[in-house]
Amino acid sequence: MAEMEEKIKNYRTAPFDARFPNTNQTRNCFQNYLDFHRCNKALTEKGQDASPCQWYQRVYKSLCPMSWVGKWDEQIEAGNFPGKI
């Protein structure tokens, strides 16, 4: 676990993801945002530490415009977010 935490600390930007080989990283941004919230929800419901989910958060914060993230956060709070979390 300590090794994973060390890797998370050292990453400054999103690494290459073979699922998204194109220059346009919009889908990558959205997928990492969803993955963060899914991971966080799953681990929290099991009563486990959600710190491994920080990887996804770091990646989407690196890729996504903060205006999008703010809008998505508002949609989650309002209950009308289009993604499946």
Side-chain angles (χ1 to χ4, degrees):
M1 187 65 141
E3 183 180 324
M4 180 185 277
E5 290 174 8
E6 187 64 30
K7 284 183 178 181
I8 290 172
K9 282 173 133 179
N10 291 332
Y11 281 113
R12 297 291 177 227
T13 188
F16 176 74
D17 189 338
R19 297 175 298 168
F20 309 102
N22 299 324
T23 309
N24 186 344
Q25 294 294 303
T26 303
R27 181 72 182 150
N28 190 358
C29 154
F30 187 70
Q31 188 62 50
N32 278 286
Y33 183 83
L34 287 177
D35 289 345
F36 167 72
H37 285 284
R38 288 175 182 161
C39 175
N40 206 17
K41 180 181 177 184
L43 293 181
T44 302
E45 286 177 354
K46 292 179 182 177
Q48 298 177 353
D49 180 28
S51 63
C53 303
Q54 290 178 352
W55 162 258
Y56 298 112
Q57 185 179 38
R58 194 170 281 231
V59 172
Y60 85 72
K61 284 189 172 186
S62 170
L63 292 171
C64 302
M66 287 293 104
S67 60
W68 293 4
V69 173
K71 182 179 178 183
W72 294 336
D73 288 341
E74 290 172 7
Q75 289 175 336
I76 288 173
E77 289 175 12
N80 59 4
F81 182 70
K84 183 179 177 187
I85 295 178

